Each structure stands twice: as C-alpha cells, then as structure tokens.
C-alpha cells in the first residue's frame, strides 16, 4: 500500500451549469438551480463540485470562451449567488472546483478588444503575426485569423473567437496569477484547468502543446497560487508517464486527466471509432494503477465526451447493469474519481437524428467537413449521434415532465429521446434497482476501502471477462450480454450489481467484488 495524499481518494462531480437545473424559467441552468440540488448531490457521497465555466462569456463555445475572468455570467446568476453556493455546499462538506481557461480568452475580452484597437501593450498579450504558419485549429481550418484593420493575423488554436494568450509575456502570467488568487480568497478550493498543456508554444516550429516552457509555467503558477493546498486537475490528452510526473509534482498540478481509456478506440479520431477493445483498455488501467506512483484522475464521462455507457456497453436492455458495471470498475482504481452529471442515473446518449437539433460548434464544423468529404447524411449522423459532445450536454433529467423537471420552458439545447423513462424520479422510485443508490453504495465502499485499492493489482482478460486481483479483494466484470461460466473464490461478496448471484456464472454485464483476504 502507498501513502495517501490529503487530496487523494476524492469523488468530484462535474456539473455543466447550462444543463443542470434552471431556477428562473429561462431555459438555462443556473447557480440557484445547483444550490437547490445540493442535498441530492450530497447523498451520493461526493467531495467536490466541479462546475464547467461560469465566468462571463458570449457562449460561442459554451463558456470556454471567457470574456471576463472576474465576473459571473448573468445567465448563471451573480457573484453573490456564487458565494452562496460555496457557503451552502460547505454545509454538506462539499468543496467547489472552478473551471478556468488559461490558454485563451474570448475575442470579446477587454484585453483583446484593446489589442484590436491598436494598443501595442495588449497586442503582446496574444500572438499577432504578419505571416501565419501552417498550424491548424482543433476545430478545423487554419489556426490563424486575419484582422484587416491591423493587417495582421492572430493565433486561435480552437475557435476564431478564442484568441490564445501569450504566456511568454510575464505580464500575462501575473494577471493570471492575480485572478486565480482572487477566486481562492473567495473560497474556491479546487481548479480544473482547461487545455492547460497548451499554455506554452513554439509557433515558429508549429509546437502548439507542451512547448519548451510548459513545466516552468506550471511550476510558477503553482508557486504563486494554489501551491499544494488546492486540488488541481489539468485537461491533457494521453500524456506519457514522464510528462505526467513532470506536470504533477511538488511544484505543479496535483493531477491531470489522461483519457487514454476513453480514447483507446479512436481510429484515428473520435469521429471514427473501433469497438471497445477490452484487452487494450485494460493495458491503460494497468499502466496507471501499477506503473504510475502518483494519483491518477479517472473520468468515464465529461462535457466533451459522449456517454461511455452508450459507447461501450448496452444502454437499452441492460442499461442498469452496464451503468453499475462501469462505476464498480472505476471505483476500484487509485487516485480520484470524476463523475459527470446524469451518469448516476444511467443517462445515455441523446439518440437525436436531426443535425438541426445539435448546438455544439465542433459537431457542426465536423458535419460540414464530412459533407465536403462526400459522406452521406446517414453516415454522418451515425457518427454524430455516437460521439457528439451534445450527448453529454443535454438537460439533466429530473422527472418525466415535458422538460424533464429541468425547466418550465424549452431548454437551451434539448433532451435525450428517453427522458420520460431515464430520470431521477424514476430511478429513486425503485431503490432495489436504482443506479443512484448503487452509486451511493459503491462510492461509500471505495471511500472506506481505499487503502486496499491504493496498491498493485493484477489484471487479466479472458474473452469478455475482466478480472482484477488485489491483495485483499478480487473484481470480476462481464463485458457482454452473454452469461459466462467462471470459478468464483470461496470468499464473501463485498458488492454485486445483481441481487441474486448465480453460482459459477457471471450474468450479462455483471460486476462483483469478493473479499479474498482480511486487510
């Protein structure tokens, strides 16, 4: 067993504020709506609430285009509402994690507007150039956008309304540190840092991520702001172990996402997926459980990803079993566990077939690109229905009413097709078959059992059966709809997602944990 850091063994629940709970009937979720659901959230046994960006924003990329780091977007409420959320959450022993975008600002930000007006001081806050490089945007097309008034281009790794900050300018860094400390002083106790590995670049060589001064800037950010007192998690994609050690240490972030598990079947990208490869994904689990000495950040779902339940398993006939299998598996890994709103009731992909239903800028751009590539409408929509980010951004399903209890008016995005059956009210009405109550049980088990999880484990795959053996317990998971014979240990069952456990047979999508030794 390894040392447990005071920021480890935590459960963090991510809320997409626009889609969680609307308190004032405008179709957009808000801070007062979140406050009204704190008891529900506390019932799960969570430690932190991570809110996707709530800063002022034109919402061209759903809040990840911040126009004022110090202001709360009026869509969500006021600064007083945010203070109240921090205060009320504390009564339930829940800390607030803020989502900050430090790589870029909205082009509506005062800094960028001053730069456009010809202010040379603020032009140095961004990347302006007479000659664009061949760098491409994550959202498609060139990463440079031309400004006729200045006869210059500015760099935008994402949307053209998201101008990248020049972290090589020390004044930019000091402004960022001052702002982070403002929120810490206000009571924020955690930060999720969006695309943090892009803050250092070498544009002359088209290096737009993990540039030459990345670790230096992370260390400086940590030393001048959160140090080791605040839970921080960075958004990174598939960093090698060496990079993770460099990022997450005494002078850096506490942890970062790797997403290697939920992206293992991208061929070559998320719009082209292979089926789940249990053998491949288990190699990811083994790497971060056994080879990484730090505290991994595990997330099955988030605002940028479709529902894992729909991608990997059966979100129809075996929705309960599939959802509870996944949380059983992920609860048994060391580090911190990040949940996403709705997964605790088994919310699925939206299954919306009309492109006009979708809102996400990445999805709409991909739709046009695939059209230009000659794909048929049916082919395109099959891909979009499977992996669009809007699958995760639908309104939270609270009940079976017209707008799912989220609002009294039509929501800003809409609902999944199955909202009348898959919702909180229906789930809680049947405690014996409730995904929420299963989550509550497995998370409590994880909390108390953590020292036995925070150790080496042996992973084994036999066709559709995954077995993980720890010194004191053993997990079996059947990743298929077929009942499969197995030889169970002569040991007590800690938890199972079936009420009745058949001797020598794993049922479809069954997950079961045995206690094989006393610890």
């Amino acid at each position: 067993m390894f040392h447990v850091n005071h920021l480890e063994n935590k459960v963090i629940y991510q809320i997409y504020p626009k889609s969680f709970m609307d308190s004032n009937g405008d179709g957009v979720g808000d801070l007062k709506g979140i406050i009204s659901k704190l008891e529900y959230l506390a019932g799960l046994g969570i430690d932190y609430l991570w809110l996707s960006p709530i800063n002022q924003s034109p919402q061209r990329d759903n809040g990840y285009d911040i126009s004022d780091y110090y202001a709360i977007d009026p869509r969500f409420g006021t600064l007083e509402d945010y203070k109240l959320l921090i205060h009320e959450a504390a009564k339930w022993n829940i800390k607030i994690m803020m989502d900050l975008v430090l790589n870029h600002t909205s082009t509506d930000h005062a800094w960028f507007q001053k730069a456009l007006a010809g202010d040379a001081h603020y032009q140095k806050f961004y990347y302006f150039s007479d000659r664009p490089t061949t760098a491409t945007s994550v959202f498609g097309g060139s990463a440079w956008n031309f400004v006729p008034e200045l006869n210059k281009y500015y760099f935008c790794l994402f949307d053209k309304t998201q101008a990248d900050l020049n972290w090589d300018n020390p004044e930019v860094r000091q402004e960022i540190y001052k702002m982070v400390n403002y929120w810490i002083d206000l009571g924020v106790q955690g930060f999720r840092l969006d695309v943090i590995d892009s803050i250092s670049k070498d544009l002359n060589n088209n290096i737009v991520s993990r540039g030459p001064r990345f670790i230096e800037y992370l260390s400086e950010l940590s030393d001048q702001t959160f140090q080791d007192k605040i839970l921080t998690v960075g958004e990174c994609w598939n960093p090698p172990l060496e990079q993770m050690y460099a990022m997450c240490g005494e002078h850096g972030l506490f942890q970062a996402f790797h997403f290697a598990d939920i992206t293992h079947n991208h061929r070559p990208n998320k719009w082209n997926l292979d089926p789940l490869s249990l053998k491949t994904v288990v190699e990811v689990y083994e790497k971060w459980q056994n080879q990484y000495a730090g505290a991994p950040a595990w997330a099955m779902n988030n605002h940028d990803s479709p529902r894992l339940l729909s991608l990997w398993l059966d979100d129809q006939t075996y929705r309960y079993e599939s959802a509870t299998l996944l949380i059983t598996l992920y609860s048994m890994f060391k580090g911190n566990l990040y949940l996403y709103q709705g997964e605790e009731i088994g919310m699925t992909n939206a299954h919306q077939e009309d492109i006009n239903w979708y809102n996400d800028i990445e999805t709409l751009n991909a739709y046009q690109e695939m059209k230009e590539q000659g794909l048929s409408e049916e082919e395109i929509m099959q891909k979009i229905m499977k992996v669009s980010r809007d699958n995760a951004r639908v309104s939270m399903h609270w009940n079976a009413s017209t707008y799912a209890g989220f609002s009294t008016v039509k929501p800003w995005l809409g609902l999944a097709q199955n909202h009348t059956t898959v919702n909180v009210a229906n789930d809680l009405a049947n405690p014996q078959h409730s995904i929420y109550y299963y989550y509550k049980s497995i998370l409590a088990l994880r909390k108390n059992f953590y020292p036995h999880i925070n150790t080496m484990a042996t992973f084994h795959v036999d066709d559709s059966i995954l077995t993980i053996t720890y010194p004191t317990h053993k997990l079996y998971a059947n990743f298929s709809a077929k009942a499969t014979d197995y030889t169970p240990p002569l040991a007590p069952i800690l938890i199972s997602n079936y009420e009745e456990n058949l001797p020598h047979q794993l049922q479809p999508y069954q997950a079961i944990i045995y206690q094989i030794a006393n610890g």
Side-chain angles (χ1 to χ4, degrees):
M1 296 178 199
F2 305 115
H3 168 70
V4 178
N5 189 286
H6 71 287
L7 298 173
E8 192 176 349
N9 188 19
K10 305 300 181 189
V11 177
I12 300 95
Y13 184 101
Q14 183 190 0
I15 281 177
Y16 200 66
K18 289 180 74 172
S19 300
F20 190 68
M21 184 65 199
D22 172 18
S23 73
N24 61 358
D26 64 356
V28 177
D30 48 52
L31 293 171
K32 287 183 177 178
I34 296 170
I35 293 169
S36 73
K37 298 297 184 180
L38 284 173
E39 183 174 4
Y40 166 85
L41 295 166
L44 275 177
I46 66 172
D47 301 292
Y48 288 79
L49 264 188
W50 154 24
L51 275 59
S52 285
I54 55 166
N55 296 99
Q56 188 163 307
S57 165
Q59 298 289 324
R60 296 189 186 95
D61 190 24
N62 288 307
Y64 286 90
D65 47 333
I66 294 174
S67 57
D68 188 339
Y69 283 114
Y70 290 92
I72 301 297
D73 195 290
R75 293 171 179 85
F76 303 132
T78 65
L79 183 60
E80 291 307 311
D81 293 335
Y82 192 52
K83 291 178 182 177
L84 182 62
L85 172 64
I86 294 171
H87 180 264
E88 293 298 312
K91 294 179 180 178
W92 296 99
N93 295 315
I94 296 173
K95 299 177 175 68
I96 299 300
M97 173 178 278
M98 193 173 204
D99 200 333
L100 286 177
V101 187
L102 306 184
N103 174 70
H104 52 261
T105 72
S106 166
T107 50
D108 286 1
H109 195 288
W111 296 342
F112 192 79
Q113 289 299 307
K114 290 177 181 178
L116 287 186
D119 189 325
H121 175 78
Y122 284 102
Q123 286 178 3
K124 293 176 183 175
F125 274 44
Y126 299 91
Y127 298 97
F128 280 91
S129 177
D130 298 328
R131 296 182 180 179
T133 67
T134 57
T136 56
S137 163
V138 172
F139 289 168
S142 173
W144 293 92
N145 198 55
F146 185 61
V147 182
E149 299 88 342
L150 299 175
N151 198 32
K152 290 180 182 291
Y153 298 81
Y154 67 87
F155 186 80
C156 41
L157 185 57
F158 296 91
D159 185 60
K160 66 181 181 180
T161 65
Q162 294 165 300
D164 284 48
L165 287 166
N166 177 12
W167 273 64
D168 293 336
N169 181 345
E171 291 189 53
V172 169
R173 302 200 301 275
Q174 289 306 313
E175 288 285 353
I176 292 292
Y177 306 154
K178 182 174 72 172
M179 178 269 296
V180 171
N181 283 323
Y182 169 82
W183 292 111
I184 292 175
D185 292 343
L186 204 74
V188 171
Q189 292 182 275
F191 291 98
R192 181 264 188 188
L193 301 175
D194 187 65
V195 292
I196 191 65
D197 55 354
S198 292
I199 58 174
S200 174
K201 303 175 180 70
D202 178 359
L203 295 185
N204 290 330
N205 293 300
N206 273 352
I207 297 173
V208 298
S209 180
R210 300 174 204 162
R213 301 182 69 183
F214 173 47
I215 300 304
E216 174 193 342
Y217 293 159
L218 264 192
S219 178
E220 186 178 278
L221 171 63
S222 173
D223 288 345
Q224 297 207 24
T225 58
F226 38 76
Q227 300 171 358
D228 62 351
K229 302 170 186 175
I230 299 286
L231 176 56
T232 52
V233 59
E235 181 196 19
C236 300
W237 294 84
N238 294 324
L241 283 174
E242 303 75 31
Q243 185 77 44
M244 192 69 88
Y245 280 124
M247 291 166 48
C248 305
E250 187 176 350
H251 298 283
L253 303 174
F254 177 68
Q255 58 189 180
F257 296 114
H258 56 77
F259 299 127
D261 49 341
I262 64 175
T263 62
H264 81 278
N265 56 342
H266 289 196
R267 293 292 182 272
N269 55 43
K270 74 176 190 176
W271 302 107
N272 298 279
L273 298 180
D274 283 348
L276 164 70
S277 168
L278 191 55
K279 184 175 181 181
T280 302
V281 80
V282 164
E283 291 174 357
V284 177
Y285 299 150
E286 191 278 336
K287 172 182 176 180
W288 294 100
Q289 178 71 25
N290 291 343
Q291 299 177 39
Y292 182 56
W298 295 100
M300 293 181 282
N301 300 283
N302 61 62
H303 65 286
D304 277 336
S305 302
R307 299 284 181 175
L308 203 63
L309 165 64
S310 297
L311 279 191
W312 285 8
L313 303 179
D314 184 340
D315 69 359
Q316 304 294 319
T317 306
Y318 292 105
R319 186 177 61 86
Y320 171 86
E321 292 79 7
S322 296
T324 51
L325 179 154
L326 286 171
I327 191 59
T328 305
L329 172 64
Y330 276 80
S331 290
M332 291 296 107
F333 297 146
K334 71 177 185 180
N336 287 340
L337 182 60
Y338 290 76
L339 312 179
Y340 182 73
Q341 64 182 47
E343 74 172 67
E344 77 281 3
I345 58 164
M347 282 182 65
T348 68
N349 272 2
H351 300 299
Q352 295 287 357
E353 301 177 355
D354 185 351
I355 189 61
N356 294 313
W357 178 88
Y358 292 83
N359 171 274
D360 174 38
I361 190 171
E362 181 190 54
T363 298
L364 299 178
N365 286 349
Y367 176 84
Q368 292 300 329
E369 286 187 6
M370 286 188 274
K371 275 278 192 188
E372 292 166 6
Q373 292 165 10
L375 275 69
S376 70
E377 183 78 9
E378 182 179 0
E379 288 175 309
I380 296 171
M381 289 315 300
Q382 284 300 315
K383 293 175 184 290
I384 284 175
M385 286 170 63
K386 183 176 286 187
V387 298
S388 169
R389 300 192 298 186
D390 280 339
N391 284 305
R393 298 176 180 185
V394 296
S395 302
M396 182 75 173
H397 299 170
W398 294 103
N399 58 43
S401 64
T402 303
Y403 301 124
F406 163 76
S407 181
T408 56
V409 300
K410 186 177 180 180
W412 70 277
L413 173 60
L415 307 167
Q417 291 276 28
N418 56 11
H419 75 272
T420 57
T421 54
V422 179
N423 57 66
V424 172
N426 283 0
D427 192 80
L428 298 183
N430 183 7
Q432 299 304 314
H433 207 65
S434 162
I435 297 171
Y436 177 94
Y437 284 119
Y438 188 89
Y439 262 66
K440 182 181 177 78
S441 297
I442 192 70
L443 294 177
L445 175 64
R446 170 189 171 82
K447 186 72 68 175
N448 296 325
F449 212 61
Y450 189 78
H452 305 280
I453 299 167
N454 189 32
T455 186
M456 302 285 282
T458 301
F459 294 75
H460 179 71
V461 175
D462 184 3
D463 194 19
S464 65
I465 306 300
L466 166 61
T467 307
I468 308 177
T469 306
Y470 294 81
T472 59
H473 65 289
K474 191 166 188 173
L475 178 147
Y476 293 84
N478 179 10
F479 280 76
S480 80
K482 181 178 70 174
T484 306
D485 293 337
Y486 81 123
T487 303
L490 296 173
I493 294 173
L494 278 176
I495 195 168
S496 168
N497 64 345
Y498 273 76
E499 279 190 74
E500 184 180 354
N501 300 293
L502 302 180
H504 305 287
Q505 191 175 77
L506 286 173
Q507 298 171 79
Y509 301 105
Q510 182 168 18
I512 187 168
I513 301 173
Y514 292 89
Q515 184 166 340
I516 58 176
N518 292 321

